[in-house]
């Protein structure tokens, strides 16, 4: 059950920048929109800590820009080496023009 929603910014900024970044539960988080749906995920590759905010989005996967590991944005699962541990994914919603991410 969600105990708190963290406001990461406006929907307008998300659309203008192609994403939003912030901090949730002490972790860096990125929000992006794919085919109309919002995804919020930990902005830190589990292989060696690279930011995933600048990674290519292919379907519902993000590709780490440093060594190419892929993560599923639905589950956080690491899909290809050199990453083996999942990233965290978060609930996310829009409310009144704001982007809110669920803090566990
Ligand atoms: S830091 Fe992401 S694959 Fe190496």
């Amino acid at each position: 059950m969600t105990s708190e929603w963290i406001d990461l910014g406006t929907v307008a900024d998300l659309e203008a920048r192609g994403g939003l970044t912030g901090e949730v539960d002490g972790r860096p988080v990125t929000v992006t929109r794919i085919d109309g749906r919002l995804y919020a995920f930990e902005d830190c590759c589990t292989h060696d800590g690279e930011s995933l905010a600048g990674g290519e989005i292919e379907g519902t996967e993000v590709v780490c820009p440093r060594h190419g590991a892929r993560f599923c944005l639905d589950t956080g699962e690491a899909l290809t080496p050199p990453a083996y541990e999942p990233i965290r994914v978060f609930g996310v919603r829009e409310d009144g023009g704001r982007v809110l991410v669920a803090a566990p």
Side-chain angles (χ1 to χ4, degrees):
M1 183 170 163
T2 300
S3 58
E4 189 179 2
W5 291 91
I6 306 298
D7 187 334
L8 284 201
T10 67
V11 173
D13 281 346
L14 172 88
E15 306 303 350
R17 299 178 197 159
L20 288 175
T21 57
E23 189 171 296
V24 175
D25 197 28
R27 303 295 302 165
V29 170
T30 290
V31 177
T32 193
R33 189 189 298 281
I34 303 170
D35 293 334
R37 185 180 152 194
L38 293 177
Y39 293 83
F41 56 97
E42 186 175 5
D43 185 15
C44 184
C45 180
T46 58
H47 174 236
D48 199 23
E50 182 70 24
S51 169
L52 297 172
E56 291 286 320
I57 301 290
E58 297 182 7
T60 55
E61 299 172 8
V62 62
V63 183
C64 178
R66 192 178 327 169
H67 306 116
R70 288 174 177 265
F71 297 91
C72 172
L73 295 181
D74 283 309
T75 65
E77 180 184 4
L79 301 172
T80 60
Y84 296 96
E85 296 299 318
I87 56 173
R88 289 175 66 185
V89 293
F90 301 84
V92 57
R93 66 184 173 93
E94 297 174 51
D95 188 356
R98 309 293 302 186
V99 177
L100 306 176
V101 175

